[in-house]
Structures are given as structure tokens and as C-alpha cells.
Amino acid sequence: MPVAIITGASKGLGAALAAALARRGWDLVLDARTGPVLEEAARGLDGYGTKVVALAGDVTDAGHRAELVAAAWDLGGLDLLVHNASALGAEPLVPLAELTLEGLRTALETNVVAALGLVQEALPLLREAAFGAVVAVSSDAAVEAYRTWGGYGASKAALDQVAAVLAVEEPGLRVWAVDPGDLRTDLYAAAVPGDDSGRPEPSTVVPGFLRLLDERLPSGRYSAPSLIPGPAAADGEVAR
């Protein structure tokens, strides 16, 4: 069975990706900060007959990152690492003039430093996999200037660059930075409270992530909606 680590997997996109991989027979190591919610999400995967290890913790903690990789090793190795855990830096989002430096540090620590730390911990297993891959969940805020999204966007831009350089340094792996597009998630609700404009569910973009795995597309930056044939791709940006 292939094995994946997915961070931020208790809800939203992380949970949707976990369900899709479980349906395909993947064994999973799932992370999130809130234990009861993570355990409930893991129980929801029982029917697929795969092994699911749910480890509550914070990806900014080096000990927790080591625990995640050790769990993957116990399952037989690691084929895919998905860094989906994210921090906004301020809830709700605020203009840069009002963003505390501590808030910016929080976003950078979770979105960039922890992501690199987990990659470093996981690299020995990923290099041994027949098809080792890393997915860094990005954002259009990494490449577009949106009011109040400066701190979060800066952290995701840094994550994109980490992914791009990792792809050059580890040519045996696939390394994808993936913008999932605007989705109906708790993260967005915390960022912009009261914005109830229609956004798709995270599950709608999962086929784009699966296409990366199925076709082993080249390392790079992609928009998940643009990877889905048909109407779902209409508003998606081209891979870049």
C-alpha cells in the first residue's frame, strides 16, 4: 500500500484529500491540532479498509514532525507528503499596517518553517519510494496582491519558493505547489468572517490533486481547478 502524510487533515481540503486517497487504498498518517476532531475524521475513513494513524499535534513542534514520519515508517515507508496545515497570522485578516510581527512570525513558522522541517525529516523515506512526491498547498495570495492578505500571502510565496528549489535539488521527487482556489473552509471563514459568497466545497478540487499523482506531472506550481477537465477548470489559472 502507498503511504501518505497529510497535515491539517481534520477538516476541509486535508480531510477531502485523505478520503480520496483512502478510497484508492492508501495508508495514511493524519495530523491536526485538535485531537477529537482529527479522531472523528479518521473514524470516517474506517470503511475503506486502509490503515489510518491520527496524530494530534502542532507541525511547528519538531518532536511532532518526527512522530509523523516515524508513523509512516511503521506503515512501510512514505510515498507522498502533503503540507496542508496553515496559519493566517491574524483572525480576521488585517492590513499590513495593523499586522503584528508576532502574527507574521506565526504564519511563517507554520506555513514555511514547519513545512521545510517536515520535508527534511521525511526526505530519507521519500527518496526510497518508487514515486516520492511532495505537495505544498499554496494560495493565489502568494502571487496576487489582495488587501489584508499580505502576511499570509508572503508566507505562501515563501512556501512556493521552497517547493521550487526543492524540486531542483531533489530531481528524483515530484514537488508540486498547488493553489486550490477559493474554497468553503474554516480557514477562509476565520480570515473573512461574514463573507458568505458562494465558494465550492474542498472536495470539488481533489480531482486536480489526483491528476498530479496519476500522471506524475512535472514538478512546478499548479492551480488545482485548472487540472480538472471541463467547467471546473474555467476559472482556474494555468500551471506555472
Side-chain angles (χ1 to χ4, degrees):
M1 296 283 193
V3 179
I5 293 174
I6 304 175
T7 67
S10 61
K11 295 182 286 186
L13 179 61
L17 287 171
L21 292 178
R23 281 193 293 270
R24 290 176 161 221
W26 286 63
D27 291 335
L28 303 171
V29 179
L30 306 181
D31 148 274
R33 286 176 291 184
T34 307
V37 181
L38 178 62
E39 290 164 11
E40 182 179 356
R43 283 194 298 271
L45 303 177
D46 286 346
Y48 297 116
T50 61
K51 297 175 184 176
V52 179
V53 179
L55 296 173
D58 194 320
V59 291
T60 64
D61 174 32
H64 177 59
R65 296 194 298 266
E67 188 181 21
L68 294 172
V69 176
W73 186 87
D74 288 341
L75 290 175
L78 183 62
D79 302 273
L80 172 64
L81 170 60
V82 180
H83 184 74
N84 176 63
S86 291
L88 290 166
E91 297 182 11
L93 293 178
V94 295
L96 286 175
E98 302 170 22
L99 179 64
T100 67
L101 296 185
E102 186 56 37
L104 178 59
R105 290 189 188 98
T106 297
L108 290 169
E109 191 70 29
T110 300
N111 302 349
V112 188
V113 179
L116 178 56
L118 187 53
V119 164
Q120 290 173 337
E121 190 77 34
L123 269 177
L125 292 184
L126 289 168
R127 287 167 176 159
E128 291 177 4
F131 170 30
V134 176
V135 170
V137 178
S138 186
S139 168
D140 57 346
V143 294
E144 301 289 346
Y146 300 131
R147 186 179 183 278
T148 75
W149 289 84
Y152 178 78
S155 71
K156 290 296 186 177
L159 179 63
D160 283 358
Q161 182 67 1
V162 167
V165 174
L166 181 66
V168 172
E169 295 176 344
E170 299 288 336
L173 304 180
R174 287 293 188 268
V175 185
W176 302 301
V178 185
D179 171 12
D182 286 343
L183 301 174
R184 194 176 306 165
T185 63
D186 286 357
L187 187 77
Y188 187 86
V192 190
D195 182 355
D196 56 359
S197 53
R199 282 179 171 75
E201 293 290 341
S203 59
T204 61
V205 299
V206 167
F209 288 83
L210 296 180
R211 182 180 170 194
L212 290 170
L213 294 172
D214 291 343
E215 299 182 19
R216 203 182 181 196
L217 296 179
S219 296
R221 190 180 194 279
Y222 293 86
S223 159
S226 74
L227 293 169
I228 304 170
D235 297 324
E237 63 189 15
V238 202
R240 51 181 165 187

